[in-house]
Amino acid sequence: MENILAVFTDINDGNLAYHVGDEKTNVDKNRKNLAKKYNYDYKKLVSMNQTHGNTVQIVDLNSEKIIDNCDGLITNTKDLPLMVMVADCIPILLHDEKKGVIAAIHAGRNSTFLRIAEVAINKMKENFGTNPLDIKATLGPSIQKCCYEVSIELSNIVKTSFGSQFVKGRYIDLQAINKAILRENGVEKIEDPTICTKCTSKVHYSYRKNHKTGRFSGIIKL
Ligand SMILES: [Zn+2]
């Protein structure tokens, strides 16, 4: 098995998103420091203009560095870091350990309802011959069922679409839904550190805790 970089940043790495009202020079500086910390080429990093959809794109060295209207990235290119930005949504990193393919997924509520993890796995299968049994999936720090309260309407949608086991009152378990989707698609190696960005973590941005907040990241690189 090859060595890869697969990490989640925290507030000590600063805000990594351009769209949250932070100065561009600050974000640039944070992104450059991060590249230095993890020893990758700052200029090669690919990130997304995330839109809570289920578009997943395959990228390589010739791709744009910010992919528009996108919530998932896949590559088999070495030394091409992929980044997903979050503050409560689930950052999911996938690694096909046999074929050398990686993905970074932004799994918020809507993208989860649109089964974005499944879209990514299917793309890895079709384009790179990935066997889901070779995929290692890692869910990053995100808001958990202890804090993820939604409207009655939404909790009912989750019940009918996915099952009552994912709902308790008006609280939904987005991590469990994504893990179920991963398992349905043949992924068995799943890591879920179950850190709640809202109530347990003091080192991750949480949109529900503070609407004016930065974004931390999941980064993966072959
Ligand atoms: Zn919580």
Side-chain angles (χ1 to χ4, degrees), residues 7-221:
V7 289
F8 299 101
T9 70
D10 61 38
I11 54 172
N12 297 309
D13 301 302
N15 166 49
L16 298 167
Y18 290 111
H19 68 282
V20 294
D22 197 355
E23 296 281 342
K24 184 180 181 297
T25 48
N26 279 340
V27 181
D28 285 342
K29 194 184 74 199
N30 291 338
R31 286 186 175 207
K32 276 177 190 160
N33 287 339
L34 200 63
K36 227 178 261 169
K37 180 175 176 181
Y38 292 116
N39 197 26
Y40 62 79
D41 185 351
Y42 163 78
K43 291 188 228 68
K44 284 189 183 169
L45 180 78
V46 183
S47 61
M48 305 173 269
N49 274 329
Q50 301 164 181
T51 56
H52 298 281
N54 70 350
T55 302
V56 178
Q57 283 209 23
I58 296 167
V59 294
D60 59 28
L61 281 171
N62 299 316
S63 304
E64 298 284 329
K65 292 306 168 216
I66 298 178
I67 308 293
D68 223 13
N69 184 25
C70 185
D71 288 278
L73 297 170
I74 297 174
T75 195
N76 70 342
T77 304
K78 295 229 169 18
D79 294 316
L80 188 71
L82 309 180
M83 180 166 93
V84 48
M85 293 173 287
V86 289
D88 287 342
C89 290
I90 312 173
I92 303 178
L93 304 178
L94 304 180
H95 178 212
D96 173 347
E97 299 175 314
K98 282 237 172 81
K99 294 269 163 48
V101 185
I102 52 173
I105 300 167
H106 173 235
R109 184 174 69 214
N110 207 48
S111 304
T112 297
F113 292 176
L114 296 169
R115 306 178 74 88
I116 189 165
E118 179 171 285
V119 174
I121 292 164
N122 284 337
K123 280 216 160 175
M124 289 168 76
K125 280 157 74 175
E126 283 157 25
N127 293 276
F128 301 103
T130 288
N131 177 347
L133 287 173
D134 299 328
I135 294 178
K136 184 181 164 204
T138 309
L139 279 64
S142 42
I143 192 166
Q144 308 276 325
K145 61 184 173 188
C146 43
C147 292
Y148 202 4
E149 188 178 16
V150 299
S151 66
I152 292 283
E153 291 76 19
L154 268 174
S155 68
N156 282 332
I157 289 173
V158 172
K159 255 183 227 167
T160 44
S161 309
F162 295 101
S164 56
Q165 71 270 37
F166 302 112
V167 186
K168 200 172 172 196
R170 284 168 47 177
Y171 291 82
I172 62 173
D173 189 345
L174 221 50
Q175 289 75 16
I177 296 172
N178 276 287
K179 284 189 276 187
I181 292 172
L182 288 165
R183 283 194 202 99
E184 277 168 34
N185 284 278
V187 178
E188 291 178 359
K189 286 177 272 186
I190 304 173
E191 274 187 30
D192 178 10
T194 66
I195 296 169
C196 178
T197 39
K198 190 172 176 219
C199 73
T200 354
S201 174
K202 290 190 167 58
V203 293
H204 295 96
Y205 296 114
S206 168
Y207 182 77
R208 285 232 169 175
K209 201 156 65 186
N210 180 3
H211 281 229
K212 193 172 162 26
T213 189
R215 298 289 180 274
F216 68 94
S217 287
I219 296 173
I220 188 163
K221 177 185 78 75

